[in-house]
Amino acid sequence: MLGRLLLSRGYHSTKGVFGHRPRPTTRYEGLAAAVLDKRNANANVYRWVEAYRNHGHRMAAIDPVKFHLADEAASEPLPELQYARYGLGAGDRIDPRGLLNVPAAQQPLSMAELDALLARMYCGSCSIELAFIESEQEREWLAGRYEQLFQHELTVGERRELAELMLKSQAFDQFLAVKFPTVKRYGGEGAESMMAFYWELFRSAGEHELRNVVIGMPHRGKLNVLTTMFGTRPAKIFKKFKGHPEFPADAQAMCDIASHFHTSTDITVGGKTFHLNMLHNPSHLEAVNPVSMGKARAKQLALADGPYDTSGPDRRSKVLNVQVHGDAAFPGQGINQECLMMAAVPHYEVEGTVHLIVNNQVGFTTPAERGRSTRYVSDLAKAIMAPVVHVNGDDPEALAGVTQLAIEYRQKFGKDFFIDLNCYRRWGHNELDDPTVTNPLLYRVIHGRPSIPDRYAGRLIEAGVFDQQDVDAVSNSHRNYLTAELAACEQYEPERSYFGGQWTGLQQPGDEVTVWNTGVDYRLLSHIGQESVRLPEGFNVHPHLQKTHIDARRKRIAEGQRIDWATAEALAIGSLMYQGFNVRLSGEDVGRGTFAQRHAMLVDQQTNEIFIPLNAMAAATPNAGRFELANSILSEEAVLGFEYGMAIDSPNSLVLWEAQFGDFFNGAQIIIDTFLVSGETKWMVCNGLVMLLPHGYDGAASEHSSCRVERFLQMTDSRETSPDGDAVNLQIINPSTPAQYFHALRRQQIRNFRKPLLVVAPKTLLRLSDCVSPHTDFAPGTHFQPVLPDPAPLDPKRVRRVVLCSGKHYYTLASERQARQVTDVALVRVESLCPFPVQAIRDELAKYANAREFVWSQEEHRNMGAWTFVQPRFENMCERRIQYRGRPEGATVAVGVSKWHVREAEDVIKTTLY
């Protein structure tokens, strides 16, 4: 019963909400009576067939470079596969219908014939794993369709196409080895059969009328497929190898290496056209995988496809996600488990991914047996019961057939499928590395055997499909083409591959900080606020929420003077929806909010059904956007990568990721470093992703007190000696009022450019009575202010000290100043840390002509927080010395003793004000 419950687990909505389409609960009728009768009548034979299906992979000839001594023991007959074990004799003859998916002409069979057939299917150059899949429907379909593969042979023309693609890939690597011998190219030698995967992928994409194929792929063999199959001109690669940039001269880019290149192009196969996106990948292996999922999901959003398709539950998505993995990286990098755990989660599923593991059988220098604790590199797939087929790289025809099976399965069941391509690296990790130093026996075998393209071409020559002249002609023709491209590379002008399509009208910003009118008429905001807590008839809301959330918000909106943080957020989201923008908020428990402040998703206390009021409002508003609330798995790296993928493809969607606590971002540091803050300067890929990181010292010890803003400030390209503009790579704010947060969110979409935004988000301010905003702060003509002046009624001439601070810390200082009636200290809030608001700070300082002391005050330790960022910029551009007031240097974020915390906090306040 437990297993049944787990497989049929529900979601808060059985009716569907924006971004989640419940899957139909189809009942599997089971096997036909005739099939069951046949199996019951031949129970021992069927047990033997099932043994092959479940254990045949252990004997399969899937390794093209066997060299271990243990391989001899592995070649011993497997007891489970011996028919005598099941009471069968050599003289028996079996009609396999109902037991195997074979043509009628193949029955009845002798035991020897049936044994040979089973061995060919399950112990040959490819083999499937089925035993761990719980669904009988899927197992039966997979076994039957897999067995059909062995009844189909490629045509002569198709076999020639495969051979030509692999020979071209080989020629490309050999050409680069001669022309660019000192360049690391991470070629495809030893994995050329990967071409068969893409060849069949394109054919199947056309047959299934897919609209988009989104691929995440590491560097191994990437240049081969780009230039051989994806339409990238070799001249672009060659010019890069010669030390030139890949973007036009006016692009504000630092560029990247060639093996991280991408493509976005239309592919036409068999008269059917689909769009292909292969993403930029960083050198951090597997990090591109969740990004590819997010981008695929964004394509589904743009097409109202897949989870966003409300026309019917049975339509399969026309957007396919493909992930290519390395053999050491796939089991070794935890991001892959996170991605798999998102595969069927509402608001993250992409209705199935096709995975190809390029299994080199060695990771850098680490032998396979020391790179994991599992039998296969693909065993992680079993966690989500995804089918796995192992294929020998020497058999590209088998790989093509398995690829067709993978896409058919994905289109039928909407689930992931894995192909484990066993191949090898002909050279080391890169072509300049000598692999014999650490793996001598393996490379003795590799260097003593023909290449994969040569071996396959030899098979075709033996079959009379090719002759040696054909082989030579293909290789020579491709080398001639590459030679011509090399000659033309100096004249090759990089194409402008950005700010097209959905990005048309957007641009890279300049060196000035622009101001955008983000205010909204309060009559509309009042309507949005009321709608944000309007419930349908008969909805059973939690009584506590009725009082503290719904009634309280209605009152705030009606009065219009004390708008709190959560209400301001709802007003920002709702007003953007009114303007046609979609909004997606993702993260752990974001529907309610970590601090029980948001409640954008309400749950009926009797039925468990959810209701999202802002979407009900949007449904009644023509051309309004929609609000997708995505409660995520307990993951940061994969989820943030997913949201980044959404953001780079959806400039008209506000995409937000909220960390449960600010310091949780460190689980996603790879995504932040390699994509978020550097994607634009490396690849001219812009994004407007917003990260909300709750921050603030409140006595809860080290973890969760700080979002480590100092790390983000260090990652910006802000200048210390000249003013910043909008062109900074990452914008960082620490807003202190709900209205400021409102304007910051709206500004993300209103501007004509996109930049990632880090919001140092509040915890205690969510309910602080002083942290509210009047409706006038939201009015037309208002905007985000990088600096907030001191609202206290001070005499500027009497101010002796100007204190600069940020965020929550202001309220602590202001409360103490008022309690002690300090009248000669001004508190200026720096709301925007990056871009650093030099001119706005100068304007505030000008008010206090008699001030002689300038202080930066923070609650973080001196080696943390914004101090080391603020000091040089303030002193260099405001031309005044600034003093530090805050905690001393520390190794951890905060003390774990409450009395110490209180004493430290008092010292910070005292030294700042007195």
Side-chain angles (χ1 to χ4, degrees), residues 163-184:
E164 289 174 4
L165 287 171
M166 292 195 296
L167 288 168
K168 286 179 180 179
S169 178
Q170 178 173 263
F172 179 79
D173 281 322
Q174 292 171 346
F175 184 86
L176 293 187
V178 173
K179 301 299 183 180
F180 301 95
T182 61
V183 174
K184 298 177 181 178

Side-chain angles (χ1 to χ4, degrees), residues 129-142:
E129 288 191 80
L130 294 169
F132 58 88
I133 297 176
E134 293 183 15
S135 167
E136 182 185 24
Q137 179 184 14
E138 291 183 33
R139 285 198 315 274
E140 289 290 337
W141 185 91
L142 283 163

Side-chain angles (χ1 to χ4, degrees), residues 106 117 133 166 186 310 588 590 758 870:
Q106 285 194 6
L117 178 60
I133 297 176
M166 292 195 296
Y186 306 101
T310 58
E588 295 153 20
V590 294
L758 168 66
V870 169

Side-chain angles (χ1 to χ4, degrees), residues 641-687:
F642 190 101
E643 304 310 326
Y644 173 82
M646 290 283 293
I648 61 175
D649 200 77
S650 302
N652 291 319
S653 295
L654 176 64
V655 181
L656 306 101
W657 174 71
E658 182 175 69
Q660 195 168 63
F661 290 92
D663 57 327
F664 279 22
F665 82 88
N666 54 25
Q669 192 69 60
I670 289 174
I671 301 297
I672 294 167
D673 288 350
T674 61
F675 288 101
L676 189 76
V677 304
S678 60
E680 181 177 348
T681 188
K682 288 190 297 187
W683 308 319
M684 290 297 293
V685 174
C686 301
N687 81 92

Side-chain angles (χ1 to χ4, degrees), residues 13 30 36 49 101 145 163 206-207 220 232 293 321 345 349 351-352 437 477 514 663 707 724 843 871 904 908:
S13 173
L36 287 174
V49 170
N101 193 342
R145 185 65 189 88
E207 290 173 4
R220 165 83 153 123
T232 299
M293 294 173 69
N321 178 228
V345 171
E349 65 166 332
E351 295 199 346
V437 173
S477 174
T514 54
D663 57 327
C707 75
D724 294 326
D843 292 344
Q871 183 194 21
E904 285 184 348
V908 171

Side-chain angles (χ1 to χ4, degrees), residues 789-908:
D790 194 331
L794 302 176
D795 181 354
K797 297 179 180 178
R798 296 187 58 193
V799 171
R800 63 178 176 84
R801 177 182 295 175
V802 177
V803 174
L804 276 68
C805 58
S806 193
K808 160 185 177 285
H809 191 47
Y810 161 78
Y811 291 96
T812 306
L813 296 174
S815 176
E816 180 70 12
R817 182 181 64 174
Q818 181 178 6
R820 297 300 182 96
Q821 297 185 341
V822 177
T823 60
D824 57 357
V825 176
L827 301 177
V828 176
R829 282 170 277 178
V830 181
E831 302 279 291
S832 171
L833 294 169
C834 184
F836 189 67
V838 175
Q839 188 56 50
I841 292 174
R842 287 174 176 167
D843 292 344
E844 285 304 307
L845 297 183
K847 298 177 182 178
Y848 308 106
N850 296 327
R852 293 295 178 266
E853 292 182 331
F854 303 94
V855 168
W856 174 261
S857 183
Q858 64 181 36
E859 58 180 355
E860 300 90 352
H861 289 280
R862 186 174 185 135
N863 58 317
M864 305 171 196
W867 162 244
T868 56
F869 181 85
V870 169
Q871 183 194 21
R873 288 161 178 79
F874 182 89
E875 294 185 349
N876 290 337
M877 291 180 280
C878 296
E879 300 175 333
R880 294 169 173 84
R881 300 287 291 177
I882 190 167
Q883 303 173 46
Y884 172 78
R885 297 292 186 271
R887 286 175 168 83
E889 291 83 353
T892 61
V893 166
V895 296
V897 179
S898 59
K899 290 184 177 180
W900 298 355
H901 168 77
V902 171
R903 186 167 66 242
E904 285 184 348
E906 291 173 347
D907 288 344
V908 171

Side-chain angles (χ1 to χ4, degrees), residues 11-22 609-610:
Y11 177 54
H12 273 306
S13 173
T14 59
K15 303 171 184 176
V17 294
F18 183 71
H20 170 61
R21 179 181 64 176
E609 282 286 328
I610 66 170

